[in-house]
């Protein structure tokens, strides 16, 4: 036998009777979710509320429209304030490497060439910096958050860093451009597992220990930056890009 709320109970519920027990009010609410008849009877009981609702809507219609923020939202999809100091650091390090190359006068391998593959990594790590970006939660709640947003900010980092490296190195960009892209994509791929910041630190430390350090000691360009190694860098880029694509959903909740 189906239970229905009585007319008196619906009237007290619609009026917000403070004497109505909480458990009874909850029972009425649960019943109304599945009973169209009682909802219709409640609407008839609450007709006196309609003028109040219309008055509230009229007040909302008269409220001034908020100022457009499209430009600001467009900017936050490409960059975040947390990226500025990291990009500035990248610029300074690259300039310092160029000065070092000029001072050594070819005695050592080009410092700028050695640093070029990992130059964008710091900016990529800051592209999705939850702790450093004051607007992170707001941007993360937008429909385009996740991999789409990370890729756009990564592209913004490359647009700044790659021309700077091209101007700062006297070596053909063929040597460092593909390794630079490989490290960028590898940071994103590894960041999907351990976070962008940890991925960036790990890759930079590994590159410094196993490539930059030995190259400075032997005063020779490392084998990994010779033209013969470009095929390996291409394969690394493709594999890491595939990992990023397959794990696209993790970037929505990515920790940095």
């Amino acid at each position: 036998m189906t239970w229905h709320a009585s007319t008196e109970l619906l009237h007290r519920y619609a009026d917000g009777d403070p004497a109505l027990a909480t458990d009874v009010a909850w029972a009425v609410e649960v019943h109304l979710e599945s009973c169209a008849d009682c909802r219709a009877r409640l609407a008839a009981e609450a007709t006196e509320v309609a003028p109040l609702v219309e008055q509230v809507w009229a007040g909302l219609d008269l409220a001034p429209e908020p100022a457009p923020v499209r430009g600001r939202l467009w900017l936050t999809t490409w960059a975040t304030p947390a990226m500025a100091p990291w990009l500035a650091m990248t610029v300074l390090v690259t300039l310092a490497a160029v000065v070092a190359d000029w001072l050594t006068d070819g005695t050592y391998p080009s410092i700028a060439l050695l640093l070029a593959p990992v130059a964008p990594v710091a900016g990529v790590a800051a592209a999705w910096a939850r702790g450093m970006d004051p607007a992170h939660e707001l941007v993360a709640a937008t429909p385009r958050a996740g991999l789409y947003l990370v890729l756009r900010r990564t592209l913004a980092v490359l647009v700044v860093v790659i021309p700077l490296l091209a101007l700062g190195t006297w070596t053909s960009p063929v040597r460092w451009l593909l390794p630079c892209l490989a490290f960028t994509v590898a940071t994103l791929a590894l960041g999907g597992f351990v976070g962008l910041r940890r991925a960036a630190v790990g890759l930079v430390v590994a590159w410094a220990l196993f490539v930059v350090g030995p190259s400075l000691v032997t005063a020779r360009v490392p084998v990994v930056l010779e033209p013969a190694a470009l095929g390996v860098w291409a394969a690394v880029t493709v594999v890491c890009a595939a990992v990023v694509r397959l794990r696209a959903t993790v970037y929505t909740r990515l920790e940095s």
Side-chain angles (χ1 to χ4, degrees), residues 113 116-118 120 158 162 165 172-186 207 224-238 240:
L113 173 63
V118 295
L158 294 176
I162 288 181
L165 292 172
S172 172
V174 174
R175 276 190 169 186
W176 58 263
L177 182 57
L178 193 54
C180 180
L181 296 178
F183 264 95
T184 301
V185 182
W207 181 257
V224 293
L225 290 180
E226 295 290 351
L230 293 180
V232 177
W233 288 114
V236 171
T237 304
V238 171
C240 291

Side-chain angles (χ1 to χ4, degrees), residues 5-225:
S6 64
T7 303
E8 179 185 359
L9 183 58
L10 288 176
H11 182 74
R12 295 176 61 190
Y13 177 80
D15 287 346
D17 187 357
L20 186 64
T22 303
D23 56 341
V24 176
W26 286 352
V28 173
E29 290 180 359
V30 172
H31 176 70
L32 289 172
E33 292 178 358
S34 59
C35 183
D37 293 338
C38 288
R39 288 198 299 269
R41 292 167 54 206
L42 176 63
E45 291 289 338
T47 52
E48 66 274 6
V49 182
L52 177 60
V53 175
E54 293 178 0
Q55 181 180 356
V56 171
W57 276 111
L60 293 176
D61 292 339
L62 295 176
E65 294 184 0
V69 293
R70 292 182 180 177
R72 188 176 302 174
L73 290 178
W74 177 86
L75 180 62
T76 57
T77 61
W78 286 99
T80 170
M83 294 169 60
W86 292 97
L87 289 178
M89 180 189 68
T90 301
V91 172
L92 292 176
V93 170
T94 303
L95 293 177
V98 172
V99 173
D101 289 342
W102 179 74
L103 292 176
T104 56
D105 194 22
T107 306
Y108 289 95
S110 171
I111 305 299
L113 173 63
L114 294 176
L115 295 180
V118 295
V121 170
V124 174
W128 196 245
R130 183 183 300 272
M132 295 183 292
D133 185 5
H136 177 85
E137 297 298 334
L138 178 63
V139 177
T142 61
R144 292 188 176 184
L147 181 59
Y148 174 85
L149 191 59
V150 173
L151 291 180
R152 292 193 78 172
R153 291 181 174 180
T154 300
L155 179 60
V157 173
L158 294 176
V159 167
V160 174
V161 173
I162 288 181
L164 179 65
L165 292 172
L167 293 175
T169 57
W170 296 298
T171 309
S172 172
V174 174
R175 276 190 169 186
W176 58 263
L177 182 57
L178 193 54
C180 180
L181 296 178
F183 264 95
T184 301
V185 182
T187 302
L188 295 177
L190 187 59
F193 295 93
V194 299
L196 285 179
R197 188 180 305 172
R198 294 189 183 94
V201 171
L203 290 175
V204 169
V205 170
W207 181 257
L209 291 177
F210 298 107
V211 178
V212 177
S215 179
L216 294 178
V217 171
T218 60
R220 298 179 59 183
V221 175
V223 177
V224 293
L225 290 180

